[in-house]
Amino acid sequence: MRLFVGVEIPHDIAVELYPIARGTKGLDAQTPENMHITLKFIGNVDPVVAGEIDQALSQVAFESFDLQVNGLDVFASKRNIRVLWAGVSNAEAILDLRRRVNTELEKINEEFCSENKKMIPHVTLATNVDASHQVFMGLIERNGSVKSRMFSVNRFCLYESVMSSGCAEFNVISTYGAIGCD
């Protein structure tokens, strides 16, 4: 099982974000159904370990908080742009939730938390297949001021990434609610 932990994006917001990259030559646009904010990529694990992960994540205590999708940017290497993404406001709350998730996962296996990369909370809109730098700059120029409605984060999810017809589908396999939320 290939697993990751994330926060769902409300469907109406994902549908609004989808046209930004859809149909752009050289980009593989993320479908609204797959849009999320990744808290932690876990990777391939045995189903028994997946059960341990599920149990650990059920111990994460957090209070609900509000987010808003706000602005566009890219992840790039020295040679090319890899990902077009939308940022979020209130990144501190997402980072705090990520720390809580990591704390519980580390109790299972320290390797789950060996990743020291700085996290930039974001929603991936598209990955680069062969688009030029100018394509990305045009998308940002036309859509860079994108801003969604505010939405409440009152749960996070354990996802399984499954390959289907050459494309990844992200399926929620468990959800974990904020304090006071069922």
Side-chain angles (χ1 to χ4, degrees):
M1 303 178 78
R2 186 175 168 93
L3 303 178
F4 67 92
V5 181
V7 171
E8 298 167 299
I9 300 300
H11 187 71
D12 65 305
I13 293 173
V15 167
E16 289 175 11
L17 294 171
Y18 183 55
I20 292 172
R22 180 192 65 212
T24 302
K25 185 177 181 191
L27 296 184
D28 183 12
Q30 190 73 268
T31 63
E33 295 75 23
N34 277 356
M35 288 185 190
H36 64 278
I37 300 168
T38 300
L39 296 174
K40 178 68 179 174
F41 177 75
I42 297 170
N44 292 317
V45 297
D46 181 271
V48 171
V49 175
E52 294 173 10
I53 289 168
D54 180 40
Q55 184 61 36
L57 293 175
S58 71
Q59 302 304 306
V60 174
F62 73 103
E63 294 189 16
S64 64
F65 55 91
D66 292 334
L67 284 184
Q68 181 179 42
V69 173
N70 190 2
L72 297 181
D73 207 339
V74 296
F75 290 128
S77 66
K78 290 183 179 183
R79 292 192 199 169
N80 67 354
I81 295 173
R82 298 181 325 255
V83 174
L84 174 69
W85 53 269
V88 296
S89 63
N90 199 8
E92 301 82 23
I94 283 283
L95 293 172
D96 181 60
L97 180 55
R98 180 179 193 240
R99 279 189 291 279
R100 292 168 188 260
V101 164
N102 281 338
T103 296
E104 293 303 324
L105 291 177
E106 190 172 30
K107 292 175 184 177
I108 300 171
N109 186 334
E110 287 183 13
E111 288 182 19
F112 289 149
C113 297
S114 62
E115 182 181 300
N116 289 323
K117 290 192 297 186
K118 180 181 175 186
M119 178 194 179
I120 298 173
H122 68 279
V123 179
T124 297
L125 302 182
T127 55
N128 191 2
V129 176
D130 63 3
S132 68
H133 185 268
Q134 291 79 10
V135 167
F136 284 95
M137 294 307 104
L139 288 170
I140 291 172
E141 185 177 311
R142 288 187 302 279
N143 303 286
S145 62
V146 66
K147 190 176 271 194
S148 74
R149 66 173 173 81
M150 293 291 283
F151 62 96
S152 282
V153 174
N154 52 26
R155 71 181 198 170
F156 68 95
C157 305
L158 179 61
Y159 289 86
E160 181 179 15
S161 176
V162 179
M163 291 302 288
S164 174
S165 302
C167 297
E169 291 182 14
F170 305 145
N171 302 316
V172 173
I173 57 175
S174 289
T175 61
Y176 313 92
I179 296 168
C181 295
D182 292 328

